[in-house]
Amino acid sequence: MDLLPKSSKEFAAPEYWEQFFRRRGERAFEWYGGYLELCGLLHKYIKPRDKVLVVGCGNSELSERLYDAGCQNLTNIDVSEVVIRQMKERNSSRRPNMTFQVMDATQTTFDDSYFQTVLDKGTLDAIMTDTDERTLETADKMMSEIGRLLTCGGRFLCVSLAQAHVLEKLVGHFSQGGFMIRVHQVMQGSTSESDSQFPMPVFVFVMTKVRQISGFPTVLEMMPDEEGGKPARWASPEELMEAVKERQRYALIRNRLNQNQSSQEISLDLCDGDSRKSRYTFYIVDNPTVRLSHSNHFAIFIIPQGRETEWLFGSEQGRRQLSGSVGFRRLIIVALHRDQQYTDMKAIQSELSAKVLELAPPGLPDHQQIPFLSAGEDIGARTIQHRGKSDFSGEYVVEDVKGDGNSSYRRLIFLSNQNVVQSEARLLPINTHIGQKKRKDKKKHQKPVKDLEQPTVTRIDKSYLCCEHHKAMISGLAMLPNSGILPECKTSVLLIGLGGGSLSLFIHDYFPGSRVEVVEIDPSVLDVACNWFSFCQDDRMKVQLADGLVHINSLADSGEACYDVIMFDVDSKDPSVGMSCPPPAFVEKIFLQNVHKILNPNGVFILNLVCRDAVLRLKVLNVLREIFPLIYAQKIDEEVNEILFCCANSERKLSSLELKELAMNLEKKLKKPGVQWDSTYSLAEMLKSVQIV
């Protein structure tokens, strides 16, 4: 243990290395792997006739093995007199053409353009122990000296851990002109040549000296893991450095997973090599409670396309439940990305087999076949119908996805938060046929023409509410004092937040006495609702393009408007807040007082609250209690959503049983003959656990 320095700064001191090699003796010390781990890369760039300079050679066997493999024009330098003497004695008779000299790599005595290759294994890392000015100057001197020594077309091979400050200095120096940069990651094999197993990967930076041509961009490349793969080219040094850091982060994840079972879910993205866009997302879930057998160590679960937003797949809690139900010690749950093409499950399995094995749990039996699981028989289907960009929410897509069975759905997804469905509607098929009469055959051999069938087209099912919180919000209409004469009686509704329009359309279509006013801040959302979700306005349905905050404050100031129902279904664009719906400004006391001011004395204010912060939730409830005398709450199963029904009249205090009975009576009236109704939707069921808060 005492061979290692007390502080990293000692690595840069010649005195430390003198003492180190005296204690170490003649036993070779291999930083960052030995010859067997590096030879494949080194011989790709070092030719047998090349003049090679090895800087900071130490007592590594690397030069000796290179010499024995045919690269015999080797010069080795080091600042330690002790190690140079040891290496001369060790090699004078067996390798007579290899030389060793005591010399500082920052100021050598060799001529300009003398070497075809300069090789450094860990010396730059040892010099750059910190980011002090003197340290950086020393590193600059070493790299400039190496540049001077190389011939045009010559290469500097730098083996490094690429710590952040070393990476920045190395890439920054050689990307300024005159060099091409290519980066390889050293794949750690089963060899035990290395003295230390680093949790960080080892890289070989290949700097090729070229003639500078004005206006010609620097070539910056990262080689793929697979043999024979095409290098990825980067437009800037920053992008190349980020690619290296991505490899480092992945190595740390692998090291963590190899050390022990992780109590927390780990996620990572795998990118397409050509487009560099995310192709797969892995969620790695360990279940230490599973009793191990020969066949339940490890499995892969593929989420069908379009189902990644479901609670079971789209939330950490859901994925843990999935892991428990399938019964494997480690489960990798794989999400497929939009904008990527997937053939079938077999092709996905072939593409992922090698990568998932890198993330296998320790103790996996040799030659164990890894099962690939999924929900259903295929990988699902996703069709992007429209793309656009909102000034408020950024890029978005409208896509059709296949659900369970034969069901299909249309969704609005904002790409800034791809795992959240902004709006959703069920699609119903419309099968039409073009009948063609069979023509009388004038020739006996002519076959009759069969009827031609058009491709299936779809329409929006306005009777179906995809979102559970929308169903609960509709159930809240049973709390109105006139619910006994709904849905025909006149009811004024103010809805903040349009989305795809399914909630407002349902109220409009199933409550013929209603007048619905919707406030939507984003014109793009209104366009999407009209063009892709069959939303339309008429004399009972109006949309105001405005900020909901400004609109309600204006109504309160005028004192003219009064609504039976006010609904908030608007999300926050600030991910840093523990409340994603509504934005915090919508639950401030002064604003909620204005909401109360424009609500009828017997009206109900229905708020969709999505709050993961328990302290913040309690704060919101306390503000609401100051303004509304009676508040009911209904949690949505398997979702974070909570629907708050805030009544302006405390005399409407009803038990849970009474509320369910009112909801049942309202549902009977809504399900009148000739009206399409979703058989899975029960108003009373949505209020099954409602309680006063």
Side-chain angles (χ1 to χ4, degrees):
M1 294 294 291
D2 59 351
L3 290 177
L4 295 178
K6 296 184 178 68
S7 71
S8 61
K9 286 192 175 185
E10 290 186 45
F11 276 121
E15 296 79 14
Y16 165 74
W17 292 108
E18 288 286 285
Q19 186 180 25
F20 176 90
F21 287 116
R22 283 196 182 97
R23 292 180 178 179
R24 178 81 180 181
E26 295 187 8
R27 289 180 296 125
F29 191 73
E30 302 295 354
W31 287 102
Y32 306 169
Y35 174 78
L36 292 179
E37 290 163 312
L38 297 170
C39 64
L41 280 173
L42 298 183
H43 287 295
K44 182 175 181 178
Y45 295 105
I46 302 175
K47 307 306 178 189
R49 294 184 179 181
D50 284 354
K51 290 181 181 178
V52 181
L53 173 66
V54 181
V55 298
C57 63
N59 67 356
S60 168
E61 294 180 348
L62 183 60
S63 295
E64 297 165 333
R65 302 288 286 274
L66 283 171
Y67 186 98
D68 295 343
C71 302
Q72 298 190 352
N73 201 348
L74 282 162
T75 300
N76 301 270
I77 63 172
D78 200 288
V79 293
S80 169
E81 293 183 10
V82 171
V83 78
I84 291 298
R85 185 172 61 252
Q86 290 174 356
M87 295 301 283
K88 282 181 176 180
E89 293 172 357
R90 202 164 85 189
N91 291 282
S92 59
S93 59
R94 295 180 58 190
R95 301 175 181 91
N97 295 329
M98 185 160 62
T99 62
F100 294 88
Q101 300 182 44
V102 177
M103 197 177 294
D104 188 337
T106 65
Q107 45 185 0
T108 69
T109 58
F110 304 111
D111 294 337
D112 294 353
S113 304
Y114 188 75
F115 294 99
Q116 282 82 37
T117 303
V118 176
L119 174 60
D120 163 27
K121 185 162 74 98
T123 300
L124 182 63
D125 286 9
I127 287 174
M128 291 197 64
T129 56
D130 52 45
T131 56
D132 289 349
E133 186 176 350
R134 289 185 63 185
T135 301
L136 297 178
E137 286 178 1
T138 302
D140 273 325
K141 284 181 181 179
M142 175 180 164
M143 291 184 286
S144 296
E145 183 69 358
I146 288 170
R148 180 185 72 81
L149 296 175
L150 282 171
T151 61
C152 187
R155 296 183 175 98
F156 171 39
L157 307 182
C158 181
V159 184
S160 170
L161 283 181
Q163 290 174 277
H165 64 291
V166 178
L167 176 65
E168 184 176 351
K169 188 54 137 176
L170 183 62
V171 174
H173 181 93
F174 286 101
S175 64
Q176 291 177 4
F179 282 87
M180 296 168 52
I181 303 177
R182 174 178 285 183
V183 186
H184 293 264
Q185 181 179 340
V186 178
M187 296 296 110
Q188 298 294 325
S190 58
T191 172
S192 59
E193 282 195 350
S194 175
D195 276 73
S196 178
Q197 292 298 317
F198 292 96
M200 298 288 282
V202 175
F203 296 93
V204 177
F205 291 81
V206 182
M207 316 297 188
T208 304
K209 189 174 181 179
V210 295
R211 288 188 177 88
Q212 284 188 269
I213 302 175
S214 178
F216 190 80
T218 302
V219 176
L220 306 166
E221 295 181 337
M222 168 75 84
M223 295 302 292
D225 294 342
E226 306 85 18
E227 282 291 330
K230 294 189 301 182
R233 285 206 171 182
W234 303 98
S236 69
E238 291 74 22
E239 289 182 2
L240 177 63
M241 288 188 282
E242 182 58 31
V244 172
K245 291 174 184 177
E246 285 289 345
R247 297 283 188 96
Q248 292 171 328
R249 286 191 281 267
Y250 178 63
L252 287 173
I253 288 173
R254 285 188 63 188
N255 183 69
R256 176 179 165 189
L257 290 171
N258 286 332
Q259 294 301 317
N260 58 341
Q261 303 289 316
S262 177
S263 59
Q264 292 183 327
E265 177 184 274
I266 294 174
S267 66
L268 57 94
D269 281 356
L270 267 67
C271 295
D272 177 77
D274 294 326
S275 67
R276 298 173 192 159
K277 292 182 178 180
S278 293
R279 181 163 172 80
Y280 298 100
T281 294
F282 285 4
Y283 301 97
I284 304 162
V285 185
D286 284 336
N287 189 352
T289 63
V290 171
R291 179 176 293 181
L292 280 176
S293 66
H294 180 73
S295 60
N296 70 345
H297 283 72
F298 188 37
I300 316 301
F301 189 99
I302 307 296
I303 305 172
Q305 294 181 92
R307 298 189 61 184
E308 62 278 346
T309 59
E310 294 178 18
W311 178 83
L312 189 65
F313 310 125
S315 68
E316 183 171 352
Q317 185 180 357
R319 291 188 290 268
R320 288 214 169 272
Q321 180 174 308
L322 175 63
S323 172
S325 65
V326 298
F328 286 85
R329 178 63 68 91
R330 174 171 292 170
L331 183 69
I332 296 183
I333 302 168
V334 182
L336 314 180
H337 282 245
R338 60 180 52 82
D339 295 325
Q340 296 289 323
Q341 298 298 317
Y342 308 94
T343 307
D344 52 30
M345 184 66 74
K346 187 176 180 180
I348 291 174
Q349 182 173 350
S350 175
E351 186 177 359
L352 293 182
S353 291
K355 185 59 66 176
V356 296
L357 280 175
E358 296 177 1
L359 304 170
L364 180 72
D366 292 338
H367 311 297
Q368 171 101 33
Q369 186 171 358
I370 310 302
F372 277 69
L373 316 173
S374 189
E377 297 179 356
D378 56 32
I379 61 172
R382 185 202 319 267
T383 304
I384 295 179
Q385 299 288 4
H386 174 67
R387 294 177 181 274
K389 187 172 183 179
S390 159
D391 291 337
F392 291 90
S393 303
E395 294 182 7
Y396 64 84
V397 295
V398 176
E399 61 185 22
D400 293 350
V401 298
K402 181 182 176 183
D404 290 331
N406 295 321
S407 299
S408 294
Y409 301 90
R410 178 159 294 167
R411 292 172 175 168
L412 169 61
I413 305 281
F414 287 116
L415 298 184
S416 58
N417 196 359
Q418 299 192 35
N419 280 340
V420 174
V421 176
Q422 188 72 19
S423 297
E424 184 175 33
R426 185 166 67 180
L427 297 172
L428 294 178
I430 306 173
N431 292 318
T432 58
H433 297 265
I434 302 175
Q436 283 193 340
K437 292 183 179 179
K438 296 178 182 179
R439 293 173 294 182
K440 292 183 179 180
D441 298 333
K442 293 185 178 180
K443 297 181 180 179
K444 291 183 179 181
H445 67 271
Q446 191 173 13
K447 294 182 179 180
V449 179
K450 293 182 179 180
D451 286 354
L452 299 177
E453 185 174 329
Q454 274 189 331
T456 300
V457 294
T458 57
R459 65 177 176 86
I460 298 293
D461 181 3
K462 297 182 182 180
S463 72
Y464 185 79
L465 291 171
C466 293
C467 302
E468 294 299 303
H469 69 275
H470 281 174
K471 296 177 182 179
M473 293 174 83
I474 293 293
S475 301
L477 298 181
M479 298 179 182
L480 291 171
N482 61 354
S483 63
I485 56 174
L486 286 176
E488 287 80 9
C489 74
K490 291 183 178 180
T491 308
S492 56
V493 180
L494 176 63
L495 173 58
I496 308 298
L498 174 65
S502 58
L503 178 59
S504 53
L505 282 174
F506 190 95
I507 297 172
H508 174 274
D509 292 353
Y510 283 86
F511 295 82
S514 66
R515 297 184 66 86
V516 183
E517 180 183 344
V518 185
V519 180
E520 172 58 51
I521 194 172
D522 192 344
S524 297
V525 170
L526 177 58
D527 290 341
V528 166
C530 294
N531 294 324
W532 297 100
F533 288 86
S534 299
F535 179 81
C536 57
Q537 302 183 58
D538 60 19
D539 59 339
R540 293 195 300 110
M541 173 79 79
K542 298 295 181 184
V543 176
Q544 301 284 341
L545 282 174
D547 184 333
L549 293 167
V550 175
H551 189 77
I552 285 179
N553 288 335
S554 178
L555 291 173
D557 291 341
S558 69
E560 297 175 359
C562 210
Y563 299 92
D564 299 306
V565 180
I566 299 175
M567 294 180 170
F568 282 6
D569 187 30
V570 55
D571 67 335
S572 172
K573 305 302 180 189
D574 185 357
S576 65
V577 181
M579 181 170 61
S580 56
C581 188
F586 280 78
V587 288
E588 290 181 358
K589 184 175 180 179
I590 294 176
F591 178 70
L592 289 173
Q593 286 172 336
N594 283 338
V595 172
H596 185 274
K597 192 181 293 186
I598 64 172
L599 188 65
N600 276 335
N602 290 316
V604 59
F605 165 47
I606 304 175
L607 171 64
N608 176 27
L609 179 66
V610 182
C611 188
R612 292 173 171 81
D613 186 327
V615 175
L616 184 55
R617 175 186 175 273
L618 183 59
K619 181 180 177 181
V620 171
L621 285 176
N622 288 336
V623 172
L624 288 168
R625 290 188 187 111
E626 291 183 42
I627 300 165
F628 296 93
L630 179 61
I631 302 173
Y632 297 93
Q634 172 65 54
K635 293 251 185 201
I636 306 300
D637 291 343
E638 298 184 347
E639 293 185 17
V640 187
N641 301 67
E642 179 180 16
I643 307 304
L644 301 177
F645 307 97
C646 308
C647 301
N649 188 350
S650 61
E651 295 179 3
R652 288 292 295 165
K653 190 172 183 178
L654 301 169
S655 68
S656 176
L657 188 62
E658 289 172 317
L659 284 172
K660 289 181 70 174
E661 186 175 346
L662 287 171
M664 288 175 63
N665 292 334
L666 177 58
E667 183 178 327
K668 288 177 183 178
K669 293 181 179 181
L670 294 176
K671 293 165 65 175
K672 58 187 178 182
V675 174
Q676 186 177 357
W677 183 265
D678 173 22
S679 60
T680 65
Y681 177 27
S682 166
L683 289 175
E685 185 66 19
M686 294 309 302
L687 298 177
K688 63 181 179 182
S689 58
V690 69
Q691 57 184 355
I692 296 174
V693 293

